[in-house]
Amino acid sequence: MQQMMGAPSIEKTQSGAGNSEIGERLRGLSETEAQARLLAEGPNELPRPSRRTPFRIALEVIREPMLALLLGGGLVYLLLGNLEEALILLAFGTMSIGITIIQETRTERVLEALRDLTSPRALVIRGGERKRIAGREVVRGDLVVLGEGDRVPADARLLQSRDLQSDESLLTGESVPVRKIAADGAPPLTEGRPGGDDLPLLFSGSLIVRGSGIGEVLATGPRSEIGKIGHSLSSMETEPPRLQAQMRRVVRIFAMVGGAVSVASVLLYGLLRGGWLDAVLAGIALGMSMLPEEFPVVLTIFMAMGAWRISQARVLTRRAAAIETLGSATILCTDKTGTLTENRMTVAELRLEDGRRLRPADNPETDLPAAFADLVETGVLASAQIPFDPMEIAFHKLGKERLRNHRVLDKPDWELVHAYPLRPGLLAMSNVWRSTGSDDDTLVAAKGAPEAIAALCRLDAKVFKVLTGLVEAMANEGLRVLGVARAVHRGTDLPKTQHDFKFEFLGLVGLTDPLRARVPEAVSDCRSAGIKVMMITGDYPATAKIIARQAGLDAESVVTGTEMQALNDDELALRVKTATVFARIMPEQKLRIVSALKSSGEIVAMTGDGVNDAPSLKAANIGIAMGGRGTDVAREASSIVLLDDDFGSIVKAVRLGRRIFDNLRKAIGFIFAVHVPIAGLSLLPLLFSLPILFGPIHIAFLEMVIDPVCSLVFEAENEEDDVMRRPPRNPDSPLFSGALIGWGLIQGIVAFALLAGIYIVALRQGMAENEIRALTFFSLVLTIVGLIFVNRSFSASILTALHRPNRSLMIVVVTVASMLAGTLLWPFATSLFRFGPLHLDDLAMTFAAGFVVLAGLELLKPLWRERLKA
């Protein structure tokens, strides 16, 4: 690029004291020295957490107490010879493990692909020769050659610099590139931190957007600025999922109660009836009916399927357990650049010297008027031909779209013959263009800081005062302002400095990083859902305030990083309760903000993409990283990754998270409800010396086939109408709330009373034992189907719920009907279940039982509706 522009190559461009010393050092390290340092200090990469293989994921799943109990129970039954029960238990345990392994392995594979895409290569000088090597092979002392578009492979000190600018937003959060100068011309450093103009240091992970340079590597891998932040993450622990803890407590309670009742039933049966073998079988059946084997299956399926559903919204869930926290998020902390904004500069406003202004977005399909066309055309000519700088990309884009009849850009006989780069004393650059057909026809295009362009144009005090007012007005609107000028030069000899041209001032160009189109709607959705959105950015307060207002945030009070430094932790905890916008914030301050919010009882979701965001991402209750432009460190520290970097996707994820939790509560309430009649019908014959209804095979069939299959209906259930119009749930509120357990018990008692009545009436009518068993079993199954319809919605009636499409419901109904028909018509199944024949009037009674339970509970539901919402 530099040679194409007609500028001298960087090897020959040396200035300031110490040039001879620098020249001697341009040979770099020898290969032997480099290999020795690589061996001694390690590769230039961040320590990666060990990859989660399918086997490792399986071990993590099996270690869950409930799932381990499920699989252990199946093995015990297998050892006891109860093959049918063992196969059913093991089959469903294996299925739940498989779903989790597939989902999380897919997640790890996507992250690995993202990681590979961001692995940079480096051009180094070794033994006086340039060679391209893998970024991980760069060592301390290497000389790295950098040009536009290169990613800096390690922290380095600039030995040579030619108009070099670096985008350090991944480290600082600031979207505007910073200027760099060679070390020999820089003032003494007070601190070597990213951010700020005219520093001689480059940092690993930053992007060169203009110019070129040679740097000497100072630190690699974990010793770089990126590495220091990554290393600090290892000492931070993520919070354990609350649902798993609650599930363990409930399981322990059920296990103790069920075990005690089972042992008591065995003793009661054996002492009263004398058949100890039958007593053991009855005790096993009762124990199975009271143990919630479905809970781990349902929880695993809901989390795995929830992660899959959220992935359809371009949101990758690194840990399925993070889904549970989405519905309770009360604060959403978001960066500005690339999250609320599009992370690209666009020309928002053009102003001429006389004050006339034009916003290109107002008439997007038309060519620019002549005076404004001259302004934009000159701005394009003052930019690099192949731009990397975001502002120059914006000039080129506007010129291509709105200068269809421009005079210079469409002439192939014009070429760039010289470039005057930015200098610390003159923040303006100029490109000299000449026609190949005439040496005398030369055009000079300049752009830069408005005061620098005004100096080049030699504006008088009066005009300069007017210009300053225009610049301030544009800056107050959050625009980054550049001045543009042009000059005509005669002859082939070019002056040494830009000051020697006779420039004509053309006007001002205001650039901005535009707000994403869906952000205001997403912020409004958050507000209606009781979620406060806070902006935390490294950008300037004025810019942050403008973007916040456009997004719909309260931007009256902006807290700066300097103000935060003066606050202790208690004062900051009070300040974050009222503040919405934080500007000029340093990385460690982001972590302080997250900690202050959490100490106030908030559930914090934090978005970020840079290395500077990683500690706060890991500290937050929900860390949300950007997958498209985010760093490896940010992705590894997060629990959720946005593949499209869109703020609107966060709101989709919150909506889905609330839906998943709602549906999980419906499934849990349903499971509580069905356990009551199953356990009741197992215990009733024992207490009153009646014929035993169900054995282990019946309970296993009910719990491990019908019950989990029915629970899938709730996973696929659509969201409630008010899902984003209610406040976040209290994270400390139990999943198994008193209202939910009470509603489940009421449903179960109603169902049990009806089924017990059918059982006793059938006994009194003298039906055969096998026929009674079939009648009661079929009635129980159809009652369970009725409970599905009752629990589809807590806030709506069955008539409203029936209008909601749920394909899984029809599949379940057909599956249940098929299984019931199989147990009645297939001789092997009839013998296995010890069923007798059912007549039409018996079948009519089973359907009536399901309908009566459904209708009765629908009448009771309004009495519990408000309690279930709490």
Side-chain angles (χ1 to χ4, degrees):
M1 169 67 74
Q2 306 297 335
Q3 309 234 337
M4 180 189 71
M5 293 172 62
S9 65
I10 192 162
E11 291 90 336
K12 299 178 182 179
T13 307
Q14 302 179 14
S15 61
N19 287 345
S20 59
E21 180 184 349
I22 292 176
E24 293 175 0
R25 294 163 60 188
L26 286 182
R27 290 188 56 82
L29 300 175
S30 67
E31 281 296 334
T32 303
E33 292 172 321
Q35 293 303 318
R37 290 191 181 181
L38 182 63
L39 183 63
E41 300 179 3
N44 177 38
E45 60 185 7
L46 300 182
R48 294 186 180 184
S50 56
R51 190 171 183 275
R52 301 175 71 238
T53 63
F55 179 72
R56 181 180 170 187
I57 295 172
L59 288 179
E60 291 176 1
V61 176
I62 292 174
R63 279 202 301 266
E64 291 299 321
M66 269 304 300
L67 200 52
L69 180 63
L70 179 67
L71 296 178
L75 292 175
V76 169
Y77 283 122
L78 187 61
L79 294 174
L80 291 175
N82 297 325
L83 183 61
E84 295 85 357
E85 293 89 334
L87 290 177
I88 293 174
L89 289 170
L90 292 173
F92 274 90
T94 304
M95 183 188 72
S96 62
I97 293 175
I99 291 175
T100 303
I101 291 175
I102 291 171
Q103 172 63 29
E104 298 215 11
T105 301
R106 176 177 174 271
T107 296
E108 292 296 323
R109 192 180 302 119
V110 172
L111 285 171
E112 194 69 30
L114 287 171
R115 190 183 294 121
D116 292 341
L117 287 174
T118 58
S119 178
R121 294 183 64 80
L123 180 63
V124 299
I125 301 175
R126 286 186 179 172
E129 297 183 0
R130 297 189 179 195
K131 59 183 301 184
R132 185 77 62 177
I133 63 174
R136 69 185 306 274
E137 297 176 5
V138 173
V139 298
R140 181 176 53 84
D142 259 331
L143 297 182
V144 291
V145 182
L146 299 164
E148 292 180 359
D150 288 340
R151 184 75 64 179
V152 180
D155 290 2
R157 178 175 60 247
L158 268 176
L159 302 180
Q160 295 182 3
S161 173
R162 184 178 188 280
D163 190 22
L164 192 144
Q165 293 186 22
S166 173
D167 179 356
E168 297 179 350
S169 59
L170 293 181
L171 284 162
T172 65
E174 298 180 23
S175 58
V176 178
V178 293
R179 297 186 305 275
K180 299 293 181 179
I181 60 175
D184 62 337
L189 286 176
T190 56
E191 58 178 7
R193 304 193 64 175
D197 289 318
D198 301 329
L199 296 177
L201 298 179
L202 293 171
F203 298 93
S204 178
S206 57
L207 179 69
I208 305 302
V209 298
R210 173 186 290 283
S212 56
I214 295 179
E216 179 183 8
V217 173
L218 300 177
T220 61
R223 293 165 294 277
S224 64
E225 288 297 313
I226 280 183
K228 292 174 185 176
I229 297 175
H231 180 71
S232 68
L233 298 177
S234 61
S235 61
M236 301 174 62
E237 295 294 333
T238 54
E239 296 184 357
R242 290 180 173 87
L243 284 188
Q244 292 182 4
Q246 292 183 30
M247 196 70 76
R248 291 190 186 102
R249 287 195 297 269
V250 172
V251 167
R252 284 196 294 267
I253 294 172
F254 269 84
M256 289 187 292
V257 174
V261 173
S262 181
V263 171
S265 67
V266 172
L267 294 175
L268 179 66
Y269 189 102
L271 292 173
L272 294 178
R273 301 191 184 190
W276 288 100
L277 180 59
D278 290 337
V280 171
L281 292 175
I284 292 175
L286 181 59
M288 290 179 61
S289 70
M290 299 190 69
L291 290 174
E293 293 95 341
E294 311 90 346
F295 283 163
V297 177
V298 169
L299 182 61
T300 302
I301 289 175
F302 269 62
M303 294 299 104
M305 291 298 294
W308 176 80
R309 290 187 186 281
I310 289 179
S311 72
Q312 304 305 297
R314 303 288 293 160
V315 178
L316 181 69
T317 307
R318 296 196 69 242
R319 297 290 184 272
I323 297 170
E324 73 183 68
T325 317
L326 280 171
S328 58
T330 58
I331 297 284
L332 177 54
C333 299
T334 176
D335 192 13
K336 176 184 71 68
T337 305
T339 308
L340 296 179
T341 64
E342 297 180 2
N343 197 31
R344 64 178 182 87
M345 300 297 286
T346 60
V347 176
E349 184 176 309
L350 303 171
R351 289 220 188 195
L352 303 180
E353 185 180 1
D354 58 10
R356 284 183 295 163
R357 73 175 186 173
L358 174 72
R359 293 185 174 271
D362 292 343
N363 297 291
E365 303 299 326
T366 61
D367 278 357
L368 297 174
F372 294 101
D374 288 342
L375 174 61
V376 173
E377 179 182 81
T378 306
V380 174
L381 293 174
S383 304
Q385 290 176 294
I386 303 177
F388 287 91
D389 184 286
M391 291 182 286
E392 294 190 345
I393 292 174
F395 272 107
H396 276 269
K397 185 175 185 295
L398 183 62
K400 182 178 181 181
E401 294 175 351
R402 307 292 294 277
L403 298 179
R404 298 181 182 88
N405 299 314
H406 50 289
R407 299 180 299 280
V408 176
L409 298 181
D410 59 353
K411 293 184 178 181
D413 57 342
W414 281 77
E415 64 177 357
L416 181 64
V417 295
H418 191 71
Y420 295 89
L422 290 169
R423 297 296 182 194
L426 181 62
L427 301 182
M429 63 166 295
S430 300
N431 284 341
V432 181
W433 296 82
R434 182 174 293 155
S435 172
T436 55
S438 173
D439 290 342
D440 292 335
D441 196 2
T442 301
L443 176 68
V444 185
K447 65 174 174 55
E451 62 275 14
I453 295 297
L456 290 178
C457 296
R458 300 176 177 84
L459 299 181
D460 58 40
K462 183 179 179 180
V463 175
F464 183 74
K465 184 177 180 180
V466 173
L467 176 65
T468 302
L470 296 177
V471 171
E472 290 178 354
M474 297 172 71
N476 289 335
E477 296 179 6
L479 302 180
R480 183 168 175 83
V481 185
L482 295 179
V484 177
R486 69 180 175 191
V488 176
H489 182 72
R490 301 295 179 184
T492 58
D493 294 332
L494 297 176
K496 292 183 178 181
T497 68
Q498 302 175 66
H499 285 286
D500 295 329
F501 293 110
K502 295 182 179 180
F503 281 104
E504 170 195 2
F505 183 78
L506 295 182
L508 301 171
V509 179
L511 299 105
T512 186
D513 183 3
L515 192 75
R516 289 182 181 268
R518 295 168 53 193
V519 164
E521 179 185 355
V523 170
S524 177
D525 287 342
C526 286
R527 185 179 293 109
S528 65
I531 302 173
K532 180 181 178 181
V533 180
M534 296 175 61
M535 180 198 294
I536 305 176
T537 178
D539 216 332
Y540 291 92
T543 306
K545 184 177 289 188
I546 294 296
I547 294 296
R549 287 173 178 168
Q550 294 174 359
L553 301 178
D554 179 12
E556 293 304 317
S557 175
V558 178
V559 180
T560 65
T562 304
E563 293 175 29
M564 267 193 63
Q565 288 178 348
L567 300 177
N568 60 36
D569 291 344
D570 293 336
E571 292 170 336
L572 180 60
L574 292 174
R575 193 72 180 89
V576 295
K577 291 182 179 180
T578 57
T580 303
V581 180
F582 292 81
R584 302 300 287 170
I585 297 298
M586 298 298 292
E588 62 272 16
Q589 292 176 324
K590 292 186 179 184
L591 183 57
R592 280 193 69 198
I593 293 171
V594 171
S595 300
L597 289 168
K598 291 176 66 177
S599 68
S600 302
E602 305 288 356
I603 303 301
V604 183
M606 172 75 186
T607 72
D609 60 343
V611 175
N612 61 319
D613 296 323
S616 50
L617 285 174
K618 191 166 185 178
N621 301 97
I622 312 166
I624 306 173
M626 303 300 161
R629 58 187 171 82
T631 59
D632 290 344
V633 175
R635 288 193 290 269
E636 293 290 352
S638 67
S639 52
I640 290 175
V641 179
L642 300 185
L643 296 179
D644 58 5
D645 295 358
D646 190 349
F647 180 81
S649 296
I650 303 174
V651 180
K652 287 183 182 178
V654 171
R655 181 187 295 271
L656 284 169
R658 290 189 173 192
R659 166 188 163 178
I660 291 165
F661 190 82
D662 281 351
N663 291 343
L664 182 58
R665 292 181 71 236
K666 296 172 186 176
I668 294 298
F670 168 77
I671 292 171
F672 267 116
V674 299
H675 266 277
V676 174
I678 293 174
L681 291 173
S682 298
L683 187 61
L684 181 65
L686 295 175
L687 294 176
F688 296 98
S689 299
L690 300 174
I692 299 297
L693 273 174
F694 303 142
I697 184 61
H698 302 96
I699 307 300
F701 182 88
L702 287 169
E703 295 195 358
M704 301 310 298
V705 178
I706 295 178
D707 198 1
V709 169
C710 292
S711 298
L712 293 178
V713 174
F714 300 112
E715 193 286 322
E717 193 63 45
N718 288 328
E719 65 190 42
E720 299 287 339
D721 293 336
D722 65 342
V723 69
M724 292 297 283
R725 295 197 303 273
R726 56 173 125 105
R729 68 179 180 86
N730 186 344
D732 295 325
S733 63
L735 173 63
F736 304 90
S737 64
L740 184 64
I741 294 174
W743 176 233
L745 288 175
I746 287 177
Q747 296 178 78
I749 290 171
V750 169
F752 170 67
L754 180 62
L755 294 169
I758 292 174
Y759 170 55
I760 293 172
V761 169
L763 278 174
R764 291 186 175 180
Q765 290 181 348
M767 290 183 66
E769 184 178 322
N770 285 355
E771 291 182 9
I772 294 175
R773 182 176 294 110
L775 176 65
T776 309
F777 186 85
F778 271 55
S779 299
L780 174 59
V781 171
L782 292 175
T783 298
I784 290 173
V785 173
L787 292 176
I788 295 176
F789 285 92
V790 172
N791 286 279
R792 283 189 66 193
S793 174
F794 290 153
S795 61
S797 67
I798 185 174
L799 295 178
T800 304
L802 285 175
H803 287 87
R804 295 177 179 172
N806 190 332
R807 189 180 304 173
S808 297
L809 178 62
M810 294 305 300
I811 295 174
V812 165
V813 170
V814 172
T815 301
V816 170
S818 301
M819 288 191 294
L820 285 178
T823 60
L824 194 62
L825 301 177
W826 186 21
F828 172 78
T830 303
S831 173
L832 181 66
F833 285 88
R834 300 192 304 279
F835 283 167
L838 291 180
H839 306 94
L840 289 178
D841 56 341
D842 298 327
L843 292 174
M845 181 176 291
T846 63
F847 280 100
F851 178 78
V852 169
V853 168
L854 172 60
L857 291 174
E858 277 297 314
L859 294 176
L860 292 175
K861 186 191 294 186
L863 302 177
W864 283 82
R865 187 166 293 158
E866 292 303 319
R867 299 183 189 179
L868 291 171
K869 287 182 180 180

Coordinates of all heavy atoms in Angstrom, one line a residue, residues 3 14 20 24 35 57 120 161 167 264 359 410 437-438 475 501 507 513 544 591 623 679 793 822:
Q3 N 4.0 1.7 -0.9 CA 4.7 1.8 -2.2 C 3.8 2.2 -3.3 O 4.2 3.0 -4.2 CB 5.4 0.5 -2.5 CG 6.2 0.0 -1.2 CD 7.6 -0.3 -1.5 OE1 8.0 -0.5 -2.7 NE2 8.5 -0.2 -0.5
Q14 N 13.3 6.8 8.8 CA 13.7 6.9 10.1 C 13.9 8.3 10.5 O 14.3 9.2 9.7 CB 15.0 6.1 10.3 CG 15.0 4.7 9.9 CD 16.3 4.0 10.2 OE1 17.2 4.5 10.8 NE2 16.5 2.8 9.6
S20 N 20.7 5.1 14.1 CA 21.7 4.1 13.8 C 21.6 2.9 14.7 O 21.7 1.7 14.2 CB 23.1 4.7 14.0 OG 23.3 5.1 15.3
E24 N 20.7 -1.0 13.4 CA 21.4 -2.2 13.8 C 20.5 -3.3 14.3 O 20.7 -4.5 14.1 CB 22.5 -1.9 14.8 CG 23.6 -1.0 14.2 CD 24.6 -0.6 15.3 OE1 24.4 -1.0 16.5 OE2 25.5 0.1 15.0
Q35 N 13.9 -19.8 19.0 CA 13.4 -21.1 19.5 C 13.7 -21.3 21.0 O 13.0 -21.9 21.7 CB 14.1 -22.2 18.7 CG 13.6 -22.2 17.2 CD 12.1 -22.4 17.1 OE1 11.5 -23.2 17.8 NE2 11.5 -21.6 16.2
I57 N -18.3 -34.5 29.2 CA -19.7 -33.9 29.4 C -20.6 -35.0 30.0 O -21.4 -34.8 30.9 CB -20.3 -33.4 28.0 CG1 -19.5 -32.2 27.5 CG2 -21.7 -33.1 28.1 CD1 -19.8 -31.8 26.1
P120 N -4.3 -15.2 14.8 CA -3.6 -14.4 13.8 C -2.3 -15.0 13.4 O -1.7 -15.8 14.1 CB -3.4 -13.1 14.6 CG -3.3 -13.5 16.0 CD -4.2 -14.7 16.2
S161 N 7.5 4.2 13.0 CA 6.1 4.4 12.8 C 5.9 5.4 11.6 O 6.5 6.4 11.6 CB 5.5 4.9 14.0 OG 4.1 5.3 13.8
D167 N -6.6 0.3 16.3 CA -8.0 0.2 16.9 C -7.8 -0.7 18.1 O -7.6 -1.9 18.0 CB -8.9 -0.4 15.9 CG -10.3 -0.7 16.5 OD1 -10.5 -0.4 17.7 OD2 -11.2 -1.1 15.7
A264 N -42.3 -49.3 55.3 CA -43.5 -49.6 56.2 C -44.5 -50.4 55.5 O -45.2 -51.3 56.1 CB -44.1 -48.2 56.6
R359 N -28.2 16.0 5.7 CA -28.1 14.7 6.3 C -28.4 13.7 5.2 O -29.5 13.6 4.7 CB -29.2 14.5 7.4 CG -28.8 15.4 8.6 CD -29.8 15.1 9.8 NE -29.4 15.8 11.0 CZ -28.6 15.4 11.9 NH1 -28.0 14.2 11.7 NH2 -28.3 16.1 12.9
D410 N -14.2 8.7 -11.3 CA -14.5 7.8 -12.4 C -13.5 7.9 -13.5 O -13.7 7.3 -14.6 CB -15.9 8.0 -12.9 CG -16.1 9.5 -13.4 OD1 -15.2 10.3 -13.2 OD2 -17.2 9.8 -14.0
G437 N -2.1 12.1 -18.0 CA -2.0 12.8 -19.3 C -1.3 14.2 -19.2 O -1.0 14.8 -20.2
S438 N -1.2 14.7 -17.9 CA -0.6 16.1 -17.8 C 0.1 16.2 -16.4 O -0.6 16.0 -15.4 CB -1.8 17.1 -17.9 OG -1.3 18.4 -17.5
A475 N -20.6 18.3 17.4 CA -20.1 17.5 18.5 C -21.1 17.2 19.6 O -21.2 16.1 20.2 CB -18.8 18.1 19.1
F501 N 0.7 24.4 0.5 CA -0.4 24.4 -0.5 C -1.3 25.5 -0.2 O -1.5 25.9 1.0 CB -1.1 23.1 -0.5 CG -0.3 21.9 -1.1 CD1 0.1 20.9 -0.2 CD2 0.1 21.9 -2.4 CE1 0.9 19.8 -0.7 CE2 0.8 20.8 -2.9 CZ 1.2 19.8 -2.0
G507 N -15.7 22.3 3.9 CA -16.8 22.1 4.8 C -16.4 21.1 5.9 O -15.3 20.7 6.0
D513 N -21.3 6.3 14.7 CA -21.5 4.8 14.7 C -23.0 4.7 14.9 O -23.5 4.9 16.1 CB -20.7 4.2 15.8 CG -20.8 2.7 15.8 OD1 -21.5 2.1 14.9 OD2 -20.3 2.0 16.7
A544 N -21.8 9.0 24.5 CA -22.6 8.0 25.2 C -24.0 8.5 25.5 O -25.0 7.8 25.3 CB -21.9 7.6 26.5
L591 N -15.9 -4.2 36.3 CA -16.1 -5.3 37.3 C -16.6 -4.7 38.6 O -17.4 -5.3 39.3 CB -14.7 -5.9 37.5 CG -14.7 -7.1 38.5 CD1 -15.6 -8.2 38.1 CD2 -13.2 -7.7 38.6
G623 N -23.2 -13.9 31.7 CA -22.3 -13.2 30.8 C -22.6 -13.5 29.4 O -22.8 -14.6 29.0
A679 N -49.4 -42.9 43.5 CA -49.1 -43.4 44.8 C -50.3 -43.8 45.6 O -50.3 -44.8 46.3 CB -48.3 -42.3 45.5
S793 N -51.7 -23.9 30.6 CA -51.6 -22.5 30.9 C -52.1 -22.2 32.3 O -53.2 -22.8 32.7 CB -52.4 -21.7 29.9 OG -52.4 -20.3 30.3
G822 N -52.2 -51.0 22.4 CA -51.3 -52.1 22.4 C -51.4 -53.0 23.7 O -51.3 -54.2 23.6

